[in-house]
Amino acid sequence: MTRSSVIMMAKKEEELKEIRAKTTEEINEEVVDLKGELLMLRLQKSTRNEFKSSEFRRMRKRVSRFLPYPLFYISLLAC
């Protein structure tokens, strides 16, 4: 493995630990915030403003890291 891939894996593991430590409300807020940011990026893209295209992928991955947790699904059903 290269050094950069090891560093990336360590960052991902650290991020997953932070996600697991969050409460249901915090997870819900984070997902809503990320989806709002994705919407803003789409608006910037449609109006042809400057934006980083790599942000789309980064945010989609962050949202997908939150979704596997059952607490998120249970809270959605409770609403």
Side-chain angles (χ1 to χ4, degrees):
M1 283 187 168
T2 64
R3 183 170 194 247
S4 62
S5 63
V6 171
I7 292 171
M8 288 177 63
M9 287 176 54
K11 285 182 182 179
K12 185 176 178 182
E13 287 297 322
E14 186 175 319
E15 184 178 5
L16 289 174
K17 285 180 186 177
E18 290 174 10
I19 291 171
R20 288 183 191 117
K22 292 186 179 203
T23 65
T24 305
E25 292 81 23
E26 291 172 334
I27 289 173
N28 288 338
E29 288 175 14
E30 186 76 25
V31 169
V32 168
D33 290 343
L34 288 171
K35 287 191 175 197
E37 289 180 37
L38 276 170
L39 176 65
M40 294 305 294
L41 278 177
R42 285 189 202 108
L43 290 173
Q44 286 179 348
K45 182 180 178 183
S46 67
T47 58
R48 298 193 175 142
N49 289 342
E50 282 190 33
F51 67 97
K52 291 183 179 180
S53 60
S54 62
E55 289 296 306
F56 279 111
R57 183 176 183 189
R58 187 184 66 78
M59 279 191 245
R60 283 195 316 259
K61 283 189 173 195
R62 279 191 54 92
V63 169
S64 68
R65 285 188 189 118
F66 283 101
L67 296 181
Y69 296 97
L71 293 175
F72 178 74
Y73 292 115
I74 291 169
S75 66
L76 283 178
L77 294 173
C79 292

